[in-house]
Amino acid sequence: MNNRRRNEKEIDKDTLCVNDAQDAHNMLLVRGGSPLIGELEISGAKNAALPVLCATILSNGIFEIENCPRLKDVFTLIELLSSLGARCEWQDEPDERQGAITNTPCGTTLKINTANIASQDAPSELVRRMRASFLVLGPLLARFGIARVPLPGGCEIGSRPVNFHEAGLKALGARWHVKEGFVEVTARRLKGADIVLDFPSVTATEHLMMTATLCEGKTIIENAAREPEVEDLGQMLNAMGARIEGLGTSKIMIQGVKRLSPVRWRVIPDRIETGTFMMAVGIAGGDVTLKGTMPSYLDAVITKLRLTGLDIETDENAGAIRVFKKRHKRLNPVDVTTSPYPGFPTDLQAQLTAMMAFSSGVSVVTEQIFENRFRHVDELRRLGADIRVEHRSAIIKGKEMLTGAPLTATDLRASASLVIAGLGADGETAVFDIHHLDRGYERLDGKLRAIGADIDRR
Ligand code: EPU
């Protein structure tokens, strides 16, 4: 109990140094018309950091997670790990990069001690706040033989079932019961199995891969997700002593081992944050170099953005992307369909839809991954955008100018799309409910301001 208390305090102290100012203000005011010019450091990937943090449960000891983004979803997972008994502390290495942008001295290395995990019972409130926390289920089961985690419900972008997670864990030998909204899994002995996913789900692949590392024998996951975040997690697990092959392909093979050891691990750059800034330049115009990123993760995005007429130079060795466009140059329309990696990511669909609202013709953007991911469209229309949704496609007739308006953010990527649309609109755009934005971006507004955007948090 004392331990738990102390952890909560540490987390409060550490998270507050970046986030209390954000909590107090839930609106961003964007005045369009300023070009974006300068250099920006890209943060660690949210969707890589979350499973990496869950994977620490698989072993007993001290992990150091570098380049861990300081954003709300990560803070929620820290709270969850702490509630299980882990000790989480941000290292106070001064981080020039963050300091330059936020004037805070906080580092981005997170130290997690999993030696004292004593509970296998995840609090409902935390899992409800963030679906990805469901990923603690398999690691708790693999380490302790038992786990109880709330069953996540639907969310803003669709129904999002967990049937692949359920079928996979059962194939590995787990007994699965749903009681009072919680999933209870138990297993005396987990055994490797052949698993075929009906769809290459990112978190189902991650969940089953983590669990299979400590199973007896060999697991094969067919139709596995190939996202860089899945590959990063697999490489971290291998560094911990797991025996995983086939990472980055759709067939992942895991030979179970008896135990895993803690490691120091560096989270990969956020390709979605990178793409969001590229599209911000597409809308506002300017000349921005994004550093600390990985251009090859964005091949499909860069190919499409070049077709729009955006100028892009990449340097894989330096981890840099330069993107530039004259402010009044109209972009060409493009048709895009989202698909699993290496296709165009669904997490950049809303931002692309916003960008195409300023193009010189008609674009069709089709969403294949989630059933309800066009809620930004109604809000973009309030800026005067000409967009209609038919089934799973948005048909966007580009306009030379949109006009600022009050908008409401509905989910994480939708929020980002509204903010960057505001950069190109005439006058003031107020984006409300930006707590959605803070879940998955490390100070998007601060970074945009650093490259010349006229944007304030109110
Ligand atoms: N699906 C099922 N059953 C399952 C799991 C998934 O039917 O058991 C379906 C989903 O409903 C969806 C499709 O499979 O239609 C793909 O979903 P996936 O499982 O790949 O998504 P996810 O793993 O829940 C991750 C990211 C999302 C991102 C998607 C797709 C994390 C923590 N989340 O979600 O990120 O959109 O992959 O790339 O990695 C975001 O960052 O804004 C975000 C939503």
Side-chain angles (χ1 to χ4, degrees):
M1 180 59 188
N2 277 347
N3 247 353
R4 175 112 23 117
R5 274 262 158 79
R6 206 168 57 224
N7 286 340
E8 278 165 10
K9 272 212 176 132
E10 277 157 7
I11 290 151
D12 282 344
K13 182 191 77 188
D14 285 339
T15 56
L16 279 174
C17 69
V18 170
N19 244 34
D20 59 349
Q22 296 186 352
D23 280 344
H25 307 283
N26 203 18
M27 188 264 264
L28 283 179
L29 192 65
V30 188
R31 289 172 211 88
S34 308
L36 304 177
I37 292 168
E39 287 186 354
L40 275 186
E41 280 289 337
I42 293 300
S43 299
K46 167 184 81 87
N47 288 346
L50 296 175
V52 157
L53 262 53
C54 294
T56 64
I57 294 174
L58 289 163
S59 175
N60 174 343
I62 297 175
F63 287 80
E64 285 177 311
I65 309 301
E66 294 173 26
N67 203 30
C68 188
R70 285 178 172 261
L71 41 83
K72 277 250 171 70
D73 277 3
V74 166
F75 300 150
T76 303
L77 193 49
I78 291 173
E79 268 187 74
L80 174 52
L81 292 174
S82 305
S83 78
L84 299 174
R87 284 203 58 177
C88 306
E89 266 178 83
W90 291 98
Q91 303 294 92
D92 284 336
E93 306 158 2
D95 182 351
E96 300 287 316
R97 195 191 78 178
Q98 291 306 316
I101 294 159
T102 63
N103 291 325
T104 64
C106 305
T108 55
T109 299
L110 181 65
K111 198 165 157 187
I112 306 177
N113 185 346
T114 56
N116 294 325
I117 292 187
S119 164
Q120 294 82 41
D121 204 340
S124 165
E125 190 259 328
L126 295 174
V127 179
R128 268 209 318 271
R129 240 193 271 163
M130 184 186 64
R131 296 179 57 81
S133 39
F134 190 61
L135 290 183
V136 300
L137 184 75
L140 286 172
L141 174 71
R143 182 163 156 198
F144 299 103
I146 183 164
R148 185 170 177 269
V149 174
L151 192 61
C155 78
E156 304 90 0
I157 58 177
S159 81
R160 303 185 76 181
V162 289
N163 53 322
F164 305 158
H165 303 243
E166 176 180 353
L169 290 179
K170 282 179 173 166
L172 297 176
R175 280 183 297 277
W176 170 293
H177 300 285
V178 179
K179 212 166 127 195
E180 293 163 357
F182 282 74
V183 179
E184 290 179 2
V185 281
T186 49
R188 230 181 268 144
R189 200 165 138 240
L190 288 168
K191 266 194 89 178
D194 289 356
I195 296 168
V196 183
L197 295 176
D198 290 338
F199 185 89
S201 158
V202 174
T203 48
T205 305
E206 292 167 345
H207 204 172
L208 300 175
M209 183 167 74
M210 285 191 279
T211 312
T213 55
L214 291 178
C215 288
E216 271 179 46
K218 187 171 180 174
T219 297
I220 298 179
I221 307 175
E222 302 260 17
N223 200 22
R226 292 185 283 161
E227 271 68 3
E229 294 77 15
V230 178
E231 193 173 344
D232 183 55
L233 173 69
Q235 279 165 0
M236 178 206 183
L237 293 167
N238 278 344
M240 290 167 66
R243 290 176 54 197
I244 306 175
E245 286 174 16
L247 290 166
T249 77
S250 54
K251 183 174 178 175
I252 297 181
M253 287 148 298
I254 305 131
Q255 183 64 48
V257 295
K258 284 224 153 41
R259 69 185 55 81
L260 298 170
S261 315
V263 284
R264 186 173 176 97
W265 192 252
R266 186 172 178 82
V267 174
I268 57 170
D270 197 316
R271 62 195 168 99
I272 305 303
E273 186 197 26
T274 307
T276 303
F277 283 119
M278 293 173 80
M279 295 183 206
V281 175
I283 291 173
D287 188 343
V288 173
T289 300
L290 302 166
K291 298 170 88 178
T293 189
M294 201 73 112
S296 57
Y297 292 166
L298 286 135
D299 281 348
V301 175
I302 290 172
T303 303
K304 284 292 179 185
L305 294 188
R306 283 193 172 129
L307 289 176
T308 70
L310 209 49
D311 286 307
I312 299 168
E313 290 170 0
T314 62
D315 184 338
E316 191 72 21
N317 291 331
I321 300 180
R322 177 179 170 215
V323 49
F324 48 109
K325 193 204 84 165
K326 288 211 173 77
R327 168 145 169 70
H328 294 293
K329 175 178 169 183
R330 298 287 299 279
L331 296 170
N332 306 318
V334 286
D335 293 346
V336 169
T337 299
T338 62
S339 54
Y341 191 84
F344 192 96
T346 172
D347 291 345
L348 284 171
Q349 176 265 110
Q351 300 88 317
L352 184 83
T353 302
M355 182 171 133
M356 289 299 93
F358 293 89
S359 82
S360 60
V362 179
S363 310
V364 180
V365 174
T366 303
E367 172 58 50
Q368 284 207 121
I369 310 293
F370 292 110
E371 59 190 20
N372 188 24
R373 217 177 194 183
F374 278 126
R375 291 178 66 195
H376 45 285
V377 165
D378 281 340
E379 297 302 306
L380 291 171
R381 281 203 200 108
R382 294 157 67 89
L383 300 175
D386 184 346
I387 310 176
R388 68 174 200 282
V389 176
E390 280 182 14
H391 307 292
R392 292 199 147 206
S393 297
I395 295 119
I396 309 151
K397 280 192 196 153
K399 283 190 165 176
E400 188 154 12
M401 188 44 79
L402 304 183
T403 314
L407 308 177
T408 304
T410 50
D411 67 73
L412 166 58
R413 307 303 173 187
S415 322
S417 77
L418 304 182
V419 171
I420 64 171
L423 298 173
D426 190 29
E428 286 189 348
T429 297
V431 184
F432 292 91
D433 286 356
I434 45 134
H435 55 273
H436 291 292
L437 187 78
D438 296 331
R439 285 188 54 178
Y441 286 92
E442 197 176 47
R443 287 202 159 262
L444 187 74
D445 49 328
K447 288 189 176 184
L448 283 171
R449 201 163 36 248
I451 51 172
D454 189 344
I455 182 168
D456 287 314
R457 201 173 265 260
R458 297 277 168 94

